[in-house]
Amino acid sequence: MKKTELLVTPASIEHMKELIRAGADAFLIGEQFFGLRLAGEFTLEDIEVAAMLTKEHNKKIYVAMNALFHNDKMDALVPYMQKLQEIGVDGIVFGDPAIIIARREAGVTIPLHWNTEQTATNYFTANYWGKRGATRAVLARELSLDEIVEIKENADVQIEVQVHGMTCMFQSKRPLLGNYFLFQDKAMEVENRVNNKNMFLHDKERSNKYPIYQDENGTHIFSPNDMCMIDELEEFLDAEVDSLKIDGILHDPSYVTTVTSYYRQAIDAYYESKASYKEIKKDLFKKLEEIQPSLRPLDTGFFFKETVY
């Protein structure tokens, strides 16, 4: 039986080393010029070090190129992908079809992972991009568990599903935070998310706080809760979903490392026996609740919501 991959987003090379010890199988890294909503900034030099580290430990490394590429960025795609080929990364995550053309022009054979965030919602479209070079589809966070199982049963490509962390609810290419502070006649540097990672939009009507930051790709607004499926992994694993992702964006690295170790325990217990997993899953969930930041309640996302057509 092929085991499901545990994919994590590291904040740095040092954090990757911790995550390897915690049991991560694969890593999604990159830099904001090419990728969206990454937990850390990895230059080409960092990616080269990361690739050597993952090869040493028999892990995999994927690079995010899932930004929207306007004409001013197009010339950078081919040389960047050629360098990634030299480094030997295991996959490129993309959403913009420009990546397919650039990959062809670059003569690169790195596998592609199709990720268009909210629009990856059915196996027909996943298979469409599979015929155009994608080997994996990253499914939208708004799908129910039943829909995910159906897609997995009919997809000709690998399937990746996020099971822990926050969800991006809104992105605008416009610098909304910068525009707001200019309107207020205030000066604020908003280029580095590290300096504004504790910024929130307050919704008094719903008593919610939405994390928000701005970077080179615009403004990003996230869900008020973190999804957590550590006690509901059985159906994903029964369906042989290829990759389960822990998204660590805007969380402390130590938190992400601990979460990864708990999911590693859960997945290993399942492969030992379903009974073993059932024995520990509630305890693992309670442990996660104990370390969860007070501003980030845990929920099950859209997995058990009824879809209305």
Side-chain angles (χ1 to χ4, degrees):
M1 177 189 293
K2 181 182 177 183
K3 290 190 175 182
T4 293
E5 171 186 273
L6 182 58
L7 172 64
V8 189
T9 59
S12 65
I13 296 293
E14 288 303 313
H15 189 209
M16 277 186 65
K17 295 176 182 178
E18 296 173 9
L19 291 169
I20 288 172
R21 291 192 289 270
D25 297 314
F27 303 93
L28 177 62
I29 63 176
E31 54 187 293
Q32 65 176 273
F33 184 89
F34 297 101
L36 296 178
R37 293 178 287 278
L38 294 159
E41 187 79 359
F42 285 74
T43 65
L44 278 172
E45 290 76 17
D46 294 328
I47 293 172
E48 192 165 4
V49 174
M52 289 189 289
L53 184 63
T54 53
K55 285 180 173 62
E56 179 184 347
H57 293 277
N58 197 28
K59 308 295 183 181
K60 292 188 176 181
I61 187 171
Y62 310 130
V63 175
M65 295 186 71
N66 56 338
L68 295 176
F69 297 105
H70 292 186
N71 291 340
D72 60 329
K73 288 188 175 183
M74 293 300 295
D75 290 342
L77 298 183
V78 168
Y80 187 74
M81 296 175 83
Q82 289 173 333
K83 183 60 179 178
L84 294 180
Q85 176 100 335
E86 291 176 21
I87 292 172
V89 304
D90 299 290
I92 289 174
V93 178
F94 82 102
D96 193 323
I99 292 296
I100 293 178
I101 306 302
R103 177 175 176 263
R104 188 184 307 153
E105 292 176 354
V108 165
T109 58
I110 303 171
L112 296 178
H113 297 178
W114 174 63
N115 179 12
T116 53
E117 299 290 338
Q118 289 90 350
T119 61
T121 58
N122 61 85
Y123 64 82
F124 180 86
T125 311
N127 291 340
Y128 172 89
W129 291 108
K131 293 175 182 176
R132 285 151 183 81
T135 61
R136 176 182 293 187
V138 182
L139 297 188
R141 285 75 169 167
E142 292 78 11
L143 292 172
S144 70
L145 185 51
D146 289 341
E147 289 169 323
I148 289 170
V149 171
E150 180 187 6
I151 291 172
K152 174 56 186 172
E153 289 173 347
N154 293 278
D156 299 327
V157 295
Q158 296 178 7
I159 295 300
E160 177 185 313
V161 178
Q162 182 179 330
V163 292
H164 196 96
M166 61 181 70
T167 301
C168 182
M169 299 171 54
F170 171 85
Q171 180 194 354
S172 172
K173 288 285 285 185
R174 293 174 293 169
L176 300 182
L177 287 174
N179 291 346
Y180 171 76
F181 284 109
L182 285 174
F183 180 75
Q184 297 287 323
D185 289 327
K186 297 177 182 178
M188 179 179 179
E189 184 177 343
V190 290
E191 294 177 358
N192 190 336
R193 72 169 157 264
V194 172
N195 294 331
N196 55 77
K197 67 179 181 180
N198 293 319
M199 298 184 70
F200 297 90
L201 286 178
H202 290 250
D203 183 343
K204 293 182 180 179
E205 184 177 336
R206 295 182 176 86
S207 298
N208 283 334
K209 295 181 179 180
Y210 303 93
I212 179 172
Y213 74 78
Q214 180 180 303
D215 64 6
E216 183 170 324
N217 294 294
T219 308
H220 313 261
I221 303 175
F222 294 85
S223 60
N225 298 347
D226 279 344
M227 70 171 76
C228 176
M229 295 294 286
I230 198 166
D231 58 338
E232 301 285 355
L233 293 177
E234 193 168 347
E235 286 198 58
F236 295 113
L237 300 173
D238 283 347
E240 298 184 358
V241 169
D242 300 276
S243 183
L244 299 179
K245 180 183 179 184
I246 297 171
D247 197 329
I249 189 169
L250 299 183
H251 276 296
D252 288 335
S254 59
Y255 167 88
V256 179
T257 302
T258 303
V259 170
T260 301
S261 69
Y262 291 160
Y263 273 86
R264 180 77 273 157
Q265 291 178 50
I267 293 170
D268 288 350
Y270 169 89
Y271 285 116
E272 181 181 326
S273 72
K274 291 185 181 180
S276 298
Y277 169 64
K278 290 178 180 178
E279 285 178 8
I280 66 170
K281 65 179 187 178
K282 294 300 180 186
D283 183 52
L284 289 174
F285 179 78
K286 288 179 182 177
K287 288 183 177 180
L288 280 178
E289 278 190 316
E290 290 172 1
I291 65 168
Q292 188 66 17
S294 58
L295 288 175
R296 305 290 309 163
L298 295 174
D299 66 18
T300 55
F302 288 84
F303 290 116
F304 299 111
K305 294 187 185 296
E306 183 179 356
T307 303
V308 179
Y309 297 98

